[in-house]
């Protein structure tokens, strides 16, 4: 026993020291974080900014804020929008698209497809000055969808019946408790087609394409990067190095200094994307995909 005590005595002493001086150590750590020497990028003014759009688009508030801040920052001379997203809900995709359109009026924007730039995420990118796509990326899927389950069979087996009080012919539209009626499907088609017309018109205007030929570049076609270039959805093929080089040229900066994203922010974005997938699974909106 004495031998065991001797072995663990140093460990116990260290633990006692930490417990007794925890507040002081925490205070010193905060001081180090606050007054630590700035990295090379922080010593110089950042003049180019990369903004990342990753995962399903369910909430655009954070990325729109980043875009608006970049527009106001006179030190930022150009923005790279790096995209790897399958799309998402209509409204937030539009928020990003029109924030990029406003930003473009003040400084150059290059959109880079680093994996998937489809549907809502393609919509978000259309107003960039240039769209560069990784040769292995997937582009397009310009379409609109709303889907829901018919749970009437399961409900019948379980002996579950719903009770509804409503006012308005279409108020129960999209219900999962029974097959949709013809007039309900017709009403939903009206919304879906109207959204599709808006989507394809904006793409045609932004990319200078003929709207009469939208079946070639839209119609929910999925393209490789090379195929997307052929139909006019992107400007050139390349990797992120090429996209950054394109932005440097457009911005005219002599000594490019890029922003560095905080590792904690990256982690939070991944968690948010995972949460969005779960929410979208159980509460599906009208989506651009």
């Amino acid at each position: 026993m004495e031998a065991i005590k001797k072995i663990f005595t140093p460990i116990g002493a260290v633990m006692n020291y930490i417990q007794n001086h925890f507040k002081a150590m925490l205070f010193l750590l905060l001081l180090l974080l606050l007054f630590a020497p700035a990295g090379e990028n922080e010593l110089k003014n950042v003049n180019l900014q990369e903004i990342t759009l990753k995962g399903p688009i369910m909430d655009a508030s954070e990325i729109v804020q980043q875009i608006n801040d970049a527009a106001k920052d006179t030190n930022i001379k150009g923005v790279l929008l790096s995209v790897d997203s399958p799309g998402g809900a209509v409204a937030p995709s539009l928020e990003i698209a029109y924030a990029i359109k406003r930003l473009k009026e003040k400084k150059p924007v290059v959109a880079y497809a680093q994996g998937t730039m489809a549907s809502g995420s393609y919509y978000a990118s259309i107003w960039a000055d240039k769209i560069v796509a990784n040769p292995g990326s997937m582009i397009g899927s310009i379409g609109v969808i709303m889907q829901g389950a018919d749970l009437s069979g399961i409900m019948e087996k379980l002996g579950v019946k719903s009770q509804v009080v409503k006012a308005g012919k279409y108020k129960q539209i999209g219900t999962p408790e029974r097959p949709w009626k013809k007039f309900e499907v017709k009403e939903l088609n009206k919304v879906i087609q109207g959204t599709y017309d808006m989507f394809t018109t904006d793409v045609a205007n932004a990319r200078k394409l003929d709207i009469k030929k939208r079946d070639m570049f839209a119609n929910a076609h999925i393209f490789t990067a090379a195929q997307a270039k052929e139909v006019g959805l992107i400007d050139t093929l390349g990797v992120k190095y090429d996209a950054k080089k394109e932005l440097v040229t457009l911005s005219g900066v002599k000594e490019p200094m890029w922003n560095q994203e905080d590792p904690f922010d990256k982690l939070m974005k991944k968690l948010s994307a995972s949460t969005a997938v779960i929410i979208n699974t159980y509460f599906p909106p009208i989506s651009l995909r």
Side-chain angles (χ1 to χ4, degrees):
M1 289 296 293
E2 289 297 324
I4 295 174
K5 285 182 179 180
K6 287 181 180 180
I7 292 172
F8 285 97
T9 295
I11 298 173
V14 172
M15 294 301 296
N16 286 333
Y17 180 85
I18 292 173
Q19 288 176 355
N20 294 332
H21 298 84
F22 176 75
K23 290 182 179 179
M25 292 174 68
L26 183 60
F27 178 71
L28 287 173
L29 179 61
L30 289 172
L31 286 178
L32 284 171
L33 290 173
L34 287 172
F35 299 104
E40 185 180 346
N41 280 2
E42 293 176 351
L43 293 173
K44 300 179 183 179
N45 283 332
V46 170
N47 51 28
L48 295 174
Q49 182 169 352
E50 179 179 356
I51 296 175
T52 303
L53 174 57
K54 190 175 183 65
I57 304 172
M58 302 303 294
D59 179 10
S61 55
E62 182 182 345
I63 191 167
V64 168
Q65 185 62 56
Q66 289 182 57
I67 295 167
N68 290 340
D69 289 345
K72 296 174 186 175
D73 191 340
T74 55
N75 290 321
I76 299 298
K77 306 303 179 185
V79 172
L80 177 70
L81 179 67
S82 292
V83 179
D84 188 3
S85 165
V90 179
S93 299
L94 275 167
E95 290 283 354
I96 300 170
Y98 281 88
I100 291 293
K101 187 179 182 181
R102 292 192 301 271
L103 175 63
K104 178 187 174 181
E105 294 173 357
K106 296 184 176 182
K107 52 197 71 178
V109 182
V110 171
Y112 172 61
Q114 60 183 18
T116 302
M117 183 186 278
S119 201
S121 71
Y122 181 75
Y123 205 157
S125 310
I126 59 175
W127 298 105
D129 292 279
K130 297 282 184 181
I131 300 180
V132 180
N134 183 295
S137 61
M138 303 299 289
I139 313 292
S141 188
I142 298 173
V144 187
I145 186 173
M146 181 181 182
Q147 60 188 26
D150 177 6
L151 303 179
S152 57
I154 296 176
M155 291 173 67
E156 186 177 350
K157 287 181 179 179
L158 295 175
V160 177
K161 295 181 180 180
S162 68
Q163 300 181 93
V164 179
V165 177
K166 64 177 182 177
K169 179 180 178 180
Y170 300 100
K171 199 60 183 174
Q172 206 180 359
I173 199 166
T175 179
E177 68 187 36
R178 56 169 172 75
W180 297 345
K181 298 176 181 178
K182 288 184 178 179
F183 72 86
E184 292 175 321
V185 173
K186 185 177 180 181
E187 184 74 2
L188 288 172
N189 275 330
K190 180 183 71 176
V191 175
I192 298 299
Q193 191 60 47
T195 306
Y196 181 66
D197 290 341
M198 175 185 67
F199 191 175
T200 53
T201 299
D202 275 353
V203 170
N205 290 337
R207 298 295 304 167
K208 296 180 174 56
L209 301 173
D210 186 353
I211 190 63
K212 294 178 182 178
K213 298 179 180 179
R214 70 179 181 178
D215 284 351
M216 293 178 62
F217 63 82
N219 212 17
H221 285 301
I222 301 172
F223 301 102
T224 64
Q227 292 165 347
K229 186 175 185 298
E230 288 180 7
V231 297
L233 293 184
I234 68 168
D235 295 291
T236 185
L237 276 64
V239 293
K240 183 175 282 189
Y241 172 87
D242 302 303
K244 286 187 169 183
K245 188 176 178 182
E246 182 69 40
L247 184 62
V248 170
T249 300
L250 290 174
S251 64
V253 298
K254 302 300 180 184
E255 189 176 352
M257 292 300 301
W258 292 86
N259 67 309
Q260 297 293 325
E261 188 174 23
D262 187 270
F264 180 75
D265 289 341
K266 283 186 177 181
L267 175 62
M268 292 307 295
K269 283 180 182 179
K270 287 182 179 179
L271 290 174
S272 297
S274 300
T275 304
V277 171
I278 295 171
I279 293 172
N280 188 51
T281 300
Y282 292 100
F283 304 98
I286 296 176
S287 301
L288 298 174
R289 56 191 173 105

